Amino acid sequence: YRADVDAFLAAEARQLGAVIEEGVDAVVSQAPHGWSVAATRPGGWQGDYRADFLVDASGAGGVLPGVLG
């Protein structure tokens, strides 16, 4: 069921304009007015994002728990 819920939420978020990156290494930091994310995919692609808020659905071992402590 988890995969179905994840797919549904991702589709809804994309329809609302969210950028969803999967399979990337991400370095997350708090920026003055929100968040900064530097993403790197295998093969060298890189992207830098800024956001007012961030959703990390990767669980306790994910990116945000490490940033937030």
Side-chain angles (χ1 to χ4, degrees):
Y1 300 111
R2 171 67 193 253
D4 293 337
V5 171
D6 287 351
F8 171 78
L9 293 174
E12 292 294 309
R14 282 187 182 104
Q15 278 189 320
L16 295 171
V19 174
I20 299 173
E21 294 289 348
E22 299 178 273
V24 300
D25 290 323
V27 176
V28 177
S29 58
Q30 288 186 297
H33 300 287
W35 296 91
S36 174
V37 179
T40 305
R41 277 194 182 147
W45 175 91
Q46 294 181 329
D48 293 313
Y49 301 95
R50 302 227 186 281
D52 293 332
F53 64 93
L54 193 60
V55 176
D56 177 5
S58 59
V63 173
L64 284 183
V67 172
L68 298 175

